[in-house]
């Protein structure tokens, strides 16, 4: 698997608006470079570019969402690191072949025999289980970023 770059890191927060007020002055920004809601993942995100790396603040849109569960277990803070790869499905196969466990997708993509790939915009990503990665939720993603 070829890692092209550190893609992004995500901070799990209880209140996205309050977190923006805290982080934007530190980042030298007055608003996110990209904001979105991902309904299947139950998240609302504010993304900022810091050099060539995305810095994301993530809030759960549901009390039973993954971010809400993470915060309940671990508190607010760094939740996820994303690595940009050439091809997510090939990376899944390679890493699973070495024994790395992935978190299955609740909605597997057509043609994904592994059941691990998830859609995001015009790419796919997958999540390695934090128990196998020193407590860090690791995302591999094959998005072709166009930094702002």
């Amino acid at each position: 698997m070829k890692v092209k770059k550190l893609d992004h890191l995500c901070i799990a927060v209880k209140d996205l608006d309050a977190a923006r007020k805290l982080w934007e002055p530190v980042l030298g920004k007055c608003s996110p470079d990209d904001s979105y809601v991902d309904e299947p993942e139950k998240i609302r995100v504010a993304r900022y570019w810091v050099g060539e790396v995305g810095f994301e603040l993530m809030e759960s849109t549901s009390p039973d969402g993954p971010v809400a569960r993470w915060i309940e277990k671990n508190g607010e803070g760094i939740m996820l690191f994303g690595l940009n790869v050439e091809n997510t499905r090939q990376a899944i196969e390679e890493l699973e072949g070495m024994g790395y466990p992935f978190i299955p997708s609740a909605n597997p993509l057509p043609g994904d025999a592994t059941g691990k790939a998830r859609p995001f915009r015009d790419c796919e990503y997958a999540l390695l289980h934090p128990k196998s990665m020193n407590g860090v939720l690791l995302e591999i993603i094959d998005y072709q970023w166009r930094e702002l």
Side-chain angles (χ1 to χ4, degrees), residues 81-132:
F81 283 93
L83 298 177
N84 194 275
V85 298
E86 292 288 333
N87 183 293
T88 297
R89 291 189 195 192
Q90 288 176 358
I92 291 169
E93 289 178 21
E94 186 176 331
L95 292 170
E96 280 193 319
M98 293 186 279
Y100 288 92
F102 283 80
I103 298 172
S105 173
N107 301 305
L109 294 171
D112 175 24
T114 70
K116 310 295 187 319
R118 302 160 188 248
F120 178 73
R121 296 183 175 166
D122 61 351
C123 74
E124 296 177 355
Y125 71 98
L127 300 169
L128 283 88
H129 201 286
K131 288 183 180 177
S132 67

Side-chain angles (χ1 to χ4, degrees), residues 12-133:
V13 301
K14 292 179 183 176
D15 181 335
L16 183 60
D17 295 327
R20 285 184 55 194
K21 289 176 185 173
L22 178 71
W23 282 98
E24 285 176 357
V26 173
L27 297 171
K29 306 275 185 167
C30 55
S31 65
D33 294 312
D34 183 20
S35 295
Y36 64 92
V37 174
D38 186 332
E39 292 297 336
E41 295 295 330
K42 301 178 183 180
I43 56 173
R44 186 167 72 113
V45 177
R47 177 185 295 133
Y48 307 86
W49 290 112
V50 180
E52 295 182 358
V53 177
F55 179 91
E56 298 182 354
L57 301 171
M58 287 194 317
E59 171 189 69
S60 186
T61 59
S62 171
D64 68 338
V67 172
R69 290 193 315 267
W70 180 277
I71 290 172
E72 185 178 311
K73 182 177 179 181
N74 303 292
E76 291 182 293
I78 296 175
M79 177 180 172
L80 178 150
F81 283 93
L83 298 177
N84 194 275
V85 298
E86 292 288 333
N87 183 293
T88 297
R89 291 189 195 192
Q90 288 176 358
I92 291 169
E93 289 178 21
E94 186 176 331
L95 292 170
E96 280 193 319
M98 293 186 279
Y100 288 92
F102 283 80
I103 298 172
S105 173
N107 301 305
L109 294 171
D112 175 24
T114 70
K116 310 295 187 319
R118 302 160 188 248
F120 178 73
R121 296 183 175 166
D122 61 351
C123 74
E124 296 177 355
Y125 71 98
L127 300 169
L128 283 88
H129 201 286
K131 288 183 180 177
S132 67
M133 301 304 301

